[in-house]
Amino acid sequence: IIQQLESERLRYPQFFDDFLKLLPGNLWLTNLTTIGQANPLVMTVNMDVTALDNYAIADLIANLETSQIFSDVDLGSISMSHSAAGDTMGFHVSTNYKKADSASNANKK
């Protein structure tokens, strides 16, 4: 049990370190959940995101798809919101994250 706890203690710090490198600056997360898989190195990541423009959405999806640690990227429907502050787009993304072995592999392929 101690070995299992020790091997998993850096899972989320590593995940967020890898993920934040791929996140464009003109969007933000409104919700993020993770689900562990049978393989302890893999987890499913679901996120609700708000973006300022189409380019931010395209950049996020391209960054996830070309990374070596995210796979099966699925973009949900995009909804447009209008407010006095400006227009925003909300959408959902599902993907699988595979824990990097030793060094961070968030770089693009």
Side-chain angles (χ1 to χ4, degrees), residues 3 12 15-17 23-24 29 36 41 51 53 57 65 67 72-73 75 85 90 93-94 96 98-99 103:
Q3 287 176 339
Y12 287 99
F15 164 72
F16 280 108
D17 185 50
L23 196 64
L29 301 176
L41 298 178
D53 55 38
I57 299 170
E65 287 182 338
S67 75
D72 303 322
V73 179
L75 173 64
V93 176
S94 296
N96 289 324
K98 183 174 183 193
K99 180 179 171 183

Side-chain angles (χ1 to χ4, degrees), residues 11-12 18 20-21 25-26 35 40-42 44 52 55 57 69 72 77 81 93 96 100:
R11 174 182 279 241
Y12 287 99
D18 291 339
L20 289 176
K21 292 176 184 174
N26 49 352
I35 302 168
L41 298 178
V42 177
T44 300
L52 296 177
Y55 298 109
I57 299 170
I69 55 173
D72 303 322
S77 62
S81 296
V93 176
N96 289 324

